[in-house]
mmCIF file of all heavy atoms in Angstrom:
data_model
loop_
_atom_site.group_PDB
_atom_site.id
_atom_site.type_symbol
_atom_site.label_atom_id
_atom_site.label_comp_id
_atom_site.label_asym_id
_atom_site.label_seq_id
_atom_site.Cartn_x
_atom_site.Cartn_y
_atom_site.Cartn_z
ATOM 1 N N LEU A 813 33.861 5.791 -37.198
ATOM 2 C CA LEU A 813 33.505 5.069 -35.977
ATOM 3 C C LEU A 813 33.426 6.014 -34.797
ATOM 4 O O LEU A 813 32.547 5.905 -33.948
ATOM 5 C CB LEU A 813 34.534 3.970 -35.721
ATOM 6 C CG LEU A 813 34.525 2.787 -36.706
ATOM 7 C CD1 LEU A 813 35.629 1.811 -36.353
ATOM 8 C CD2 LEU A 813 33.190 2.089 -36.727
ATOM 9 N N SER A 814 34.349 6.986 -34.723
ATOM 10 C CA SER A 814 34.297 7.959 -33.631
ATOM 11 C C SER A 814 33.023 8.786 -33.699
ATOM 12 O O SER A 814 32.402 9.097 -32.697
ATOM 13 C CB SER A 814 35.531 8.873 -33.704
ATOM 14 O OG SER A 814 36.717 8.104 -33.578
ATOM 15 N N LYS A 815 32.620 9.131 -34.915
ATOM 16 C CA LYS A 815 31.380 9.894 -35.081
ATOM 17 C C LYS A 815 30.188 9.075 -34.624
ATOM 18 O O LYS A 815 29.277 9.584 -33.977
ATOM 19 C CB LYS A 815 31.217 10.283 -36.553
ATOM 20 C CG LYS A 815 29.985 11.107 -36.841
ATOM 21 C CD LYS A 815 29.911 11.457 -38.315
ATOM 22 C CE LYS A 815 28.646 12.262 -38.615
ATOM 23 N NZ LYS A 815 28.556 12.578 -40.067
ATOM 24 N N GLY A 816 30.183 7.761 -34.952
ATOM 25 C CA GLY A 816 29.088 6.899 -34.495
ATOM 26 C C GLY A 816 29.062 6.772 -32.992
ATOM 27 O O GLY A 816 27.991 6.751 -32.387
ATOM 28 N N GLU A 817 30.246 6.700 -32.370
ATOM 29 C CA GLU A 817 30.291 6.624 -30.912
ATOM 30 C C GLU A 817 29.720 7.899 -30.289
ATOM 31 O O GLU A 817 29.001 7.857 -29.287
ATOM 32 C CB GLU A 817 31.730 6.414 -30.455
ATOM 33 C CG GLU A 817 32.281 5.027 -30.802
ATOM 34 C CD GLU A 817 33.740 4.890 -30.423
ATOM 35 O OE1 GLU A 817 34.294 5.887 -29.932
ATOM 36 O OE2 GLU A 817 34.308 3.804 -30.611
ATOM 37 N N THR A 818 30.038 9.039 -30.901
ATOM 38 C CA THR A 818 29.501 10.306 -30.392
ATOM 39 C C THR A 818 27.986 10.332 -30.474
ATOM 40 O O THR A 818 27.293 10.749 -29.541
ATOM 41 C CB THR A 818 30.104 11.474 -31.182
ATOM 42 O OG1 THR A 818 31.522 11.431 -31.080
ATOM 43 C CG2 THR A 818 29.584 12.808 -30.654
ATOM 44 N N LYS A 819 27.452 9.860 -31.607
ATOM 45 C CA LYS A 819 25.993 9.840 -31.770
ATOM 46 C C LYS A 819 25.359 8.868 -30.785
ATOM 47 O O LYS A 819 24.293 9.128 -30.218
ATOM 48 C CB LYS A 819 25.647 9.455 -33.204
ATOM 49 C CG LYS A 819 24.160 9.514 -33.526
ATOM 50 C CD LYS A 819 23.911 9.326 -35.003
ATOM 51 C CE LYS A 819 24.456 10.489 -35.809
ATOM 52 N NZ LYS A 819 24.105 10.374 -37.238
ATOM 53 N N ALA A 820 26.024 7.712 -30.566
ATOM 54 C CA ALA A 820 25.497 6.732 -29.606
ATOM 55 C C ALA A 820 25.456 7.317 -28.202
ATOM 56 O O ALA A 820 24.498 7.112 -27.450
ATOM 57 C CB ALA A 820 26.348 5.460 -29.638
ATOM 58 N N LYS A 821 26.512 8.090 -27.847
ATOM 59 C CA LYS A 821 26.518 8.724 -26.523
ATOM 60 C C LYS A 821 25.362 9.722 -26.402
ATOM 61 O O LYS A 821 24.713 9.817 -25.358
ATOM 62 C CB LYS A 821 27.848 9.438 -26.299
ATOM 63 C CG LYS A 821 29.045 8.504 -26.217
ATOM 64 C CD LYS A 821 30.332 9.306 -26.128
ATOM 65 C CE LYS A 821 31.551 8.412 -26.299
ATOM 66 N NZ LYS A 821 32.805 9.178 -26.343
ATOM 67 N N GLN A 822 25.100 10.467 -27.495
ATOM 68 C CA GLN A 822 23.997 11.439 -27.453
ATOM 69 C C GLN A 822 22.662 10.729 -27.293
ATOM 70 O O GLN A 822 21.759 11.208 -26.589
ATOM 71 C CB GLN A 822 24.004 12.269 -28.746
ATOM 72 C CG GLN A 822 22.923 13.343 -28.796
ATOM 73 C CD GLN A 822 23.061 14.340 -27.661
ATOM 74 O OE1 GLN A 822 24.165 14.739 -27.306
ATOM 75 N NE2 GLN A 822 21.944 14.751 -27.077
ATOM 76 N N ILE A 823 22.506 9.563 -27.950
ATOM 77 C CA ILE A 823 21.269 8.790 -27.813
ATOM 78 C C ILE A 823 21.097 8.317 -26.377
ATOM 79 O O ILE A 823 20.000 8.334 -25.819
ATOM 80 C CB ILE A 823 21.278 7.605 -28.791
ATOM 81 C CG1 ILE A 823 21.167 8.121 -30.230
ATOM 82 C CG2 ILE A 823 20.141 6.637 -28.495
ATOM 83 C CD1 ILE A 823 21.301 7.035 -31.275
ATOM 84 N N VAL A 824 22.214 7.878 -25.759
ATOM 85 C CA VAL A 824 22.142 7.447 -24.359
ATOM 86 C C VAL A 824 21.693 8.595 -23.468
ATOM 87 O O VAL A 824 20.886 8.425 -22.553
ATOM 88 C CB VAL A 824 23.515 6.899 -23.906
ATOM 89 C CG1 VAL A 824 23.523 6.663 -22.407
ATOM 90 C CG2 VAL A 824 23.834 5.611 -24.638
ATOM 91 N N VAL A 825 22.210 9.812 -23.758
ATOM 92 C CA VAL A 825 21.808 10.987 -22.974
ATOM 93 C C VAL A 825 20.312 11.254 -23.144
ATOM 94 O O VAL A 825 19.585 11.528 -22.175
ATOM 95 C CB VAL A 825 22.639 12.210 -23.389
ATOM 96 C CG1 VAL A 825 22.097 13.482 -22.722
ATOM 97 C CG2 VAL A 825 24.100 12.019 -23.008
ATOM 98 N N THR A 826 19.819 11.165 -24.395
ATOM 99 C CA THR A 826 18.395 11.407 -24.646
ATOM 100 C C THR A 826 17.537 10.337 -23.995
ATOM 101 O O THR A 826 16.461 10.620 -23.461
ATOM 102 C CB THR A 826 18.132 11.438 -26.161
ATOM 103 O OG1 THR A 826 19.042 12.360 -26.784
ATOM 104 C CG2 THR A 826 16.711 11.889 -26.444
ATOM 105 N N LEU A 827 18.000 9.073 -24.037
ATOM 106 C CA LEU A 827 17.250 8.001 -23.369
ATOM 107 C C LEU A 827 17.188 8.237 -21.862
ATOM 108 O O LEU A 827 16.161 7.989 -21.228
ATOM 109 C CB LEU A 827 17.913 6.652 -23.666
ATOM 110 C CG LEU A 827 17.687 6.075 -25.066
ATOM 111 C CD1 LEU A 827 18.529 4.829 -25.265
ATOM 112 C CD2 LEU A 827 16.221 5.760 -25.296
ATOM 113 N N ASP A 828 18.295 8.730 -21.288
ATOM 114 C CA ASP A 828 18.287 9.038 -19.860
ATOM 115 C C ASP A 828 17.299 10.154 -19.556
ATOM 116 O O ASP A 828 16.584 10.113 -18.557
ATOM 117 C CB ASP A 828 19.696 9.444 -19.415
ATOM 118 C CG ASP A 828 19.723 9.864 -17.957
ATOM 119 O OD1 ASP A 828 19.554 8.997 -17.078
ATOM 120 O OD2 ASP A 828 19.905 11.070 -17.691
ATOM 121 N N GLU A 829 17.247 11.155 -20.450
ATOM 122 C CA GLU A 829 16.293 12.253 -20.254
ATOM 123 C C GLU A 829 14.860 11.743 -20.334
ATOM 124 O O GLU A 829 14.002 12.114 -19.528
ATOM 125 C CB GLU A 829 16.530 13.328 -21.318
ATOM 126 C CG GLU A 829 15.615 14.532 -21.183
ATOM 127 C CD GLU A 829 15.901 15.586 -22.233
ATOM 128 O OE1 GLU A 829 16.927 15.451 -22.938
ATOM 129 O OE2 GLU A 829 15.116 16.535 -22.355
ATOM 130 N N MET A 830 14.592 10.844 -21.319
ATOM 131 C CA MET A 830 13.246 10.290 -21.454
ATOM 132 C C MET A 830 12.882 9.453 -20.233
ATOM 133 O O MET A 830 11.755 9.520 -19.728
ATOM 134 C CB MET A 830 13.174 9.441 -22.718
ATOM 135 C CG MET A 830 11.779 8.888 -22.999
ATOM 136 S SD MET A 830 11.695 7.999 -24.561
ATOM 137 C CE MET A 830 12.760 6.616 -24.192
ATOM 138 N N ASN A 831 13.837 8.659 -19.728
ATOM 139 C CA ASN A 831 13.579 7.851 -18.539
ATOM 140 C C ASN A 831 13.304 8.735 -17.332
ATOM 141 O O ASN A 831 12.435 8.440 -16.512
ATOM 142 C CB ASN A 831 14.781 6.942 -18.279
ATOM 143 C CG ASN A 831 14.534 5.997 -17.116
ATOM 144 O OD1 ASN A 831 13.540 5.276 -17.088
ATOM 145 N ND2 ASN A 831 15.427 6.003 -16.151
ATOM 146 N N THR A 832 14.062 9.859 -17.230
ATOM 147 C CA THR A 832 13.824 10.789 -16.121
ATOM 148 C C THR A 832 12.439 11.409 -16.229
ATOM 149 O O THR A 832 11.739 11.587 -15.219
ATOM 150 C CB THR A 832 14.903 11.887 -16.124
ATOM 151 O OG1 THR A 832 16.198 11.279 -16.139
ATOM 152 C CG2 THR A 832 14.771 12.769 -14.898
ATOM 153 N N TYR A 833 12.014 11.739 -17.457
ATOM 154 C CA TYR A 833 10.663 12.258 -17.671
ATOM 155 C C TYR A 833 9.617 11.245 -17.193
ATOM 156 O O TYR A 833 8.637 11.605 -16.527
ATOM 157 C CB TYR A 833 10.441 12.553 -19.158
ATOM 158 C CG TYR A 833 10.776 13.966 -19.571
ATOM 159 C CD1 TYR A 833 11.554 14.214 -20.691
ATOM 160 C CD2 TYR A 833 10.296 15.053 -18.858
ATOM 161 C CE1 TYR A 833 11.858 15.506 -21.084
ATOM 162 C CE2 TYR A 833 10.584 16.353 -19.239
ATOM 163 C CZ TYR A 833 11.369 16.583 -20.359
ATOM 164 O OH TYR A 833 11.665 17.855 -20.731
ATOM 165 N N ARG A 834 9.819 9.982 -17.530
ATOM 166 C CA ARG A 834 8.830 8.969 -17.162
ATOM 167 C C ARG A 834 8.763 8.781 -15.651
ATOM 168 O O ARG A 834 7.695 8.557 -15.084
ATOM 169 C CB ARG A 834 9.161 7.642 -17.849
ATOM 170 C CG ARG A 834 8.938 7.678 -19.341
ATOM 171 C CD ARG A 834 8.750 6.284 -19.925
ATOM 172 N NE ARG A 834 8.355 6.363 -21.318
ATOM 173 C CZ ARG A 834 7.118 6.516 -21.745
ATOM 174 N NH1 ARG A 834 6.134 6.617 -20.852
ATOM 175 N NH2 ARG A 834 6.827 6.574 -23.022
ATOM 176 N N ILE A 835 9.910 8.879 -14.987
ATOM 177 C CA ILE A 835 9.896 8.805 -13.523
ATOM 178 C C ILE A 835 9.079 9.960 -12.954
ATOM 179 O O ILE A 835 8.282 9.792 -12.016
ATOM 180 C CB ILE A 835 11.338 8.823 -12.986
ATOM 181 C CG1 ILE A 835 12.074 7.550 -13.384
ATOM 182 C CG2 ILE A 835 11.339 8.968 -11.458
ATOM 183 C CD1 ILE A 835 13.542 7.545 -13.007
ATOM 184 N N ALA A 836 9.282 11.164 -13.522
ATOM 185 C CA ALA A 836 8.545 12.338 -13.037
ATOM 186 C C ALA A 836 7.045 12.203 -13.304
ATOM 187 O O ALA A 836 6.214 12.575 -12.465
ATOM 188 C CB ALA A 836 9.093 13.597 -13.698
ATOM 189 N N ILE A 837 6.690 11.646 -14.486
ATOM 190 C CA ILE A 837 5.276 11.505 -14.829
ATOM 191 C C ILE A 837 4.581 10.532 -13.879
ATOM 192 O O ILE A 837 3.416 10.707 -13.517
ATOM 193 C CB ILE A 837 5.147 11.054 -16.292
ATOM 194 C CG1 ILE A 837 5.446 12.243 -17.214
ATOM 195 C CG2 ILE A 837 3.770 10.498 -16.593
ATOM 196 C CD1 ILE A 837 5.454 11.906 -18.661
ATOM 197 N N GLU A 838 5.324 9.478 -13.465
ATOM 198 C CA GLU A 838 4.733 8.540 -12.514
ATOM 199 C C GLU A 838 4.421 9.195 -11.173
ATOM 200 O O GLU A 838 3.609 8.684 -10.401
ATOM 201 C CB GLU A 838 5.700 7.371 -12.304
ATOM 202 C CG GLU A 838 5.838 6.473 -13.529
ATOM 203 C CD GLU A 838 6.879 5.388 -13.323
ATOM 204 O OE1 GLU A 838 7.502 5.402 -12.237
ATOM 205 O OE2 GLU A 838 7.051 4.550 -14.213
ATOM 206 N N LYS A 839 5.071 10.312 -10.889
ATOM 207 C CA LYS A 839 4.846 11.004 -9.622
ATOM 208 C C LYS A 839 3.730 12.047 -9.734
ATOM 209 O O LYS A 839 3.343 12.652 -8.732
ATOM 210 C CB LYS A 839 6.145 11.673 -9.154
ATOM 211 C CG LYS A 839 7.281 10.681 -8.927
ATOM 212 C CD LYS A 839 8.547 11.381 -8.478
ATOM 213 C CE LYS A 839 9.679 10.374 -8.297
ATOM 214 N NZ LYS A 839 9.362 9.354 -7.286
ATOM 215 N N LEU A 840 3.241 12.338 -10.945
ATOM 216 C CA LEU A 840 2.174 13.325 -11.133
ATOM 217 C C LEU A 840 0.807 12.641 -11.064
ATOM 218 O O LEU A 840 0.650 11.496 -11.503
ATOM 219 C CB LEU A 840 2.320 14.019 -12.478
ATOM 220 C CG LEU A 840 3.479 14.999 -12.637
ATOM 221 C CD1 LEU A 840 3.475 15.584 -14.041
ATOM 222 C CD2 LEU A 840 3.401 16.119 -11.606
ATOM 223 N N PRO A 841 -0.211 13.328 -10.567
ATOM 224 C CA PRO A 841 -1.573 12.766 -10.531
ATOM 225 C C PRO A 841 -2.261 12.914 -11.882
ATOM 226 O O PRO A 841 -3.026 13.847 -12.115
ATOM 227 C CB PRO A 841 -2.267 13.612 -9.449
ATOM 228 C CG PRO A 841 -1.549 14.928 -9.487
ATOM 229 C CD PRO A 841 -0.124 14.621 -9.849
ATOM 230 N N LEU A 842 -1.986 12.000 -12.807
ATOM 231 C CA LEU A 842 -2.501 12.102 -14.169
ATOM 232 C C LEU A 842 -3.650 11.146 -14.450
ATOM 233 O O LEU A 842 -4.263 11.230 -15.509
ATOM 234 C CB LEU A 842 -1.364 11.837 -15.174
ATOM 235 C CG LEU A 842 -0.230 12.857 -15.202
ATOM 236 C CD1 LEU A 842 0.835 12.423 -16.193
ATOM 237 C CD2 LEU A 842 -0.741 14.235 -15.565
ATOM 238 N N ALA A 843 -3.941 10.221 -13.554
ATOM 239 C CA ALA A 843 -5.009 9.253 -13.807
ATOM 240 C C ALA A 843 -6.374 9.872 -13.510
ATOM 241 O O ALA A 843 -6.485 10.935 -12.889
ATOM 242 C CB ALA A 843 -4.786 7.994 -12.969
ATOM 243 N N MET A 844 -7.433 9.197 -13.948
ATOM 244 C CA MET A 844 -8.796 9.641 -13.677
ATOM 245 C C MET A 844 -9.222 9.134 -12.298
ATOM 246 O O MET A 844 -9.001 7.968 -11.962
ATOM 247 C CB MET A 844 -9.743 9.090 -14.740
ATOM 248 C CG MET A 844 -9.631 9.784 -16.078
ATOM 249 S SD MET A 844 -10.196 11.498 -16.019
ATOM 250 C CE MET A 844 -11.929 11.269 -15.667
ATOM 251 N N PRO A 845 -9.850 9.993 -11.478
ATOM 252 C CA PRO A 845 -10.305 9.535 -10.160
ATOM 253 C C PRO A 845 -11.540 8.647 -10.232
ATOM 254 O O PRO A 845 -11.812 7.907 -9.297
ATOM 255 C CB PRO A 845 -10.602 10.845 -9.428
ATOM 256 C CG PRO A 845 -10.932 11.816 -10.509
ATOM 257 C CD PRO A 845 -10.091 11.433 -11.683
ATOM 258 N N VAL A 846 -12.280 8.729 -11.322
ATOM 259 C CA VAL A 846 -13.497 7.930 -11.492
ATOM 260 C C VAL A 846 -13.377 7.163 -12.797
ATOM 261 O O VAL A 846 -13.145 7.768 -13.852
ATOM 262 C CB VAL A 846 -14.764 8.815 -11.505
ATOM 263 C CG1 VAL A 846 -16.008 7.956 -11.726
ATOM 264 C CG2 VAL A 846 -14.886 9.591 -10.205
ATOM 265 N N LYS A 847 -13.487 5.834 -12.733
ATOM 266 C CA LYS A 847 -13.379 5.008 -13.922
ATOM 267 C C LYS A 847 -14.739 4.554 -14.438
ATOM 268 O O LYS A 847 -14.849 4.111 -15.580
ATOM 269 C CB LYS A 847 -12.506 3.783 -13.623
ATOM 270 C CG LYS A 847 -11.080 4.149 -13.219
ATOM 271 C CD LYS A 847 -10.261 2.899 -12.930
ATOM 272 C CE LYS A 847 -8.849 3.278 -12.490
ATOM 273 N NZ LYS A 847 -8.013 2.078 -12.188
ATOM 274 N N SER A 848 -15.783 4.646 -13.599
ATOM 275 C CA SER A 848 -17.127 4.284 -14.033
ATOM 276 C C SER A 848 -17.738 5.461 -14.798
ATOM 277 O O SER A 848 -17.154 6.529 -14.922
ATOM 278 C CB SER A 848 -17.977 3.916 -12.826
ATOM 279 O OG SER A 848 -17.366 2.881 -12.069
ATOM 280 N N SER A 849 -18.955 5.252 -15.290
ATOM 281 C CA SER A 849 -19.650 6.313 -16.025
ATOM 282 C C SER A 849 -19.998 7.461 -15.080
ATOM 283 O O SER A 849 -20.446 7.234 -13.951
ATOM 284 C CB SER A 849 -20.927 5.754 -16.666
ATOM 285 O OG SER A 849 -20.619 4.738 -17.590
#
């Protein structure tokens, strides 16, 4: 059970990292400026 708790904590850390990445991506200009042909 302690080992599972450790792995769960690591998953939470990775999820936080992924969420931080997504926040950063929302701040980058990644969309297309022209949507028409």
Side-chain angles (χ1 to χ4, degrees):
L813 291 178
S814 300
K815 181 179 179 181
E817 290 176 358
T818 302
K819 185 171 293 185
K821 294 175 190 175
Q822 182 60 40
I823 291 175
V824 171
V825 172
T826 308
L827 285 173
D828 176 70
E829 182 179 350
M830 184 176 66
N831 184 53
T832 307
Y833 268 132
R834 290 202 172 275
I835 293 174
I837 285 176
E838 291 176 357
K839 300 179 182 300
L840 289 179
L842 294 177
M844 286 293 295
V846 178
K847 299 180 182 180
S848 304
S849 298

